[in-house]
Amino acid sequence: MRAVFQTAVRLLFPSRCVGCGALVESDFALCAQCWRETPFIGGTVCDACGAPLPGADEAVRVECDDCMATPRPWARGRSAMLYRDKGRALVLALKHGDRPEVARLAAPWLARAARPLLRPDLLVAPVPLHRFKLLRRRYNQSALLARALAEQTGLEHCPDLLLRRRATASQDGRSAAERFANLDGAIAVHPGRKARLVGRPVLLVDDVMTSGATLAACAEACRQAQSGEVFVLALARVTKDH
């Protein structure tokens, strides 16, 4: 009976591409066209943020110009795709389009990008939203991504490890220096979660990395609370030449 019921559901509600709505074979998938338009990152990448770099992968640490100019308070970082084309559309759908299913679609992409960072004792945590913004948006897109990654990898997840102590103005349109200043002192480790953090490596998850200011504030909060190494992972990376 279950098979009959599932077949009936499929007939009534066929699987559709998360990117464009075209028919696909399984749930939480992209059609061939959207897959081709999604700028996944591969090959040689910056070891601090995951941005793509020219040249062959020689298994040595290399960094992009931005990360060399602005030393990062985390150990290593990765990004799954570039913030353009279908990648940008998917992030905006998740962030502002009330499309939380994008997080489930992105889980294997995040796991693949994060593979060099993963270890059994890693604690996965999202970049936090202030409670006022959370009330307006109804969900934290970074928390959805962190949870989906934890489920994909079997790693421990702490959705409220970090909190925003004050509401910050939007980062849109701000220079890198203004972005860092806007977040100064805004993020801290939740007092009731510090015991889970001390001496333990942490993987911070966000939807987009632009200047790195938000992830830097989160990483510094973890380090001040005596965490182990901090790693970062973004679904999409904004780069100057992409």
Side-chain angles (χ1 to χ4, degrees):
M1 287 297 294
R2 173 180 288 185
V4 173
F5 176 75
Q6 290 176 338
T7 300
V9 170
R10 289 289 184 188
L11 291 172
L12 291 171
F13 305 102
S15 299
R16 294 191 175 275
C17 171
V18 175
C20 69
L23 293 175
V24 291
E25 293 184 358
S26 61
D27 294 332
F28 307 106
L30 294 179
C31 67
Q33 181 64 32
C34 286
W35 184 267
R36 288 192 294 269
E37 294 174 0
T38 303
F40 295 109
I41 295 174
T44 303
V45 300
C46 171
D47 207 41
C49 73
L53 294 174
D57 187 353
E58 298 180 355
V60 295
R61 184 180 178 96
V62 291
E63 294 186 2
C64 67
D65 291 344
D66 283 350
C67 290
M68 287 191 291
T70 306
R72 308 300 186 180
W74 60 78
R76 303 175 72 189
R78 289 294 185 273
S79 302
M81 61 186 181
L82 293 169
Y83 186 68
R84 62 170 173 80
D85 304 331
K86 187 60 66 174
R88 181 176 183 273
L90 289 170
V91 169
L92 292 178
L94 172 64
K95 191 169 186 174
H96 300 298
D98 199 22
R99 299 285 304 281
E101 67 272 20
V102 172
R104 184 166 173 181
L105 168 72
W109 308 344
L110 291 167
R112 182 170 59 250
R115 191 174 296 125
L117 316 178
L118 302 184
R119 55 209 63 197
D121 59 342
L122 198 62
L123 182 64
V124 178
V127 167
L129 277 183
H130 190 269
R131 61 183 181 277
F132 295 156
K133 186 173 290 186
L134 185 60
L135 284 172
R136 290 197 303 270
R137 192 173 293 171
R138 296 185 298 108
Y139 61 84
N140 176 358
Q141 71 278 359
S142 298
L144 294 181
L145 291 170
R147 183 178 66 186
L149 174 67
E151 291 174 351
Q152 181 78 23
T153 58
L155 293 169
E156 186 178 346
H157 174 224
C158 186
D160 58 350
L161 180 70
L162 299 170
L163 54 81
R164 293 212 181 211
R165 295 190 289 198
R166 59 179 173 83
T168 53
S170 171
Q171 297 281 65
D172 293 345
R174 295 176 181 267
S175 68
E178 289 170 338
R179 286 169 177 258
F180 279 89
N182 187 39
L183 284 157
D184 185 34
I187 296 175
V189 170
H190 189 300
R193 305 292 179 265
K194 183 176 179 180
R196 298 179 64 180
L197 176 80
V198 175
R200 187 172 182 182
V202 178
L203 177 62
L204 300 172
V205 180
D206 203 2
D207 56 344
V208 180
M209 178 178 173
T210 305
S211 67
T214 303
L215 285 164
C218 293
E220 287 169 352
C222 290
R223 293 174 61 185
Q224 289 171 8
Q226 301 180 337
S227 71
E229 283 190 305
V230 178
F231 306 96
V232 302
L233 175 65
L235 175 57
R237 177 72 165 104
V238 176
T239 59
K240 296 176 182 177
D241 52 351
H242 291 88

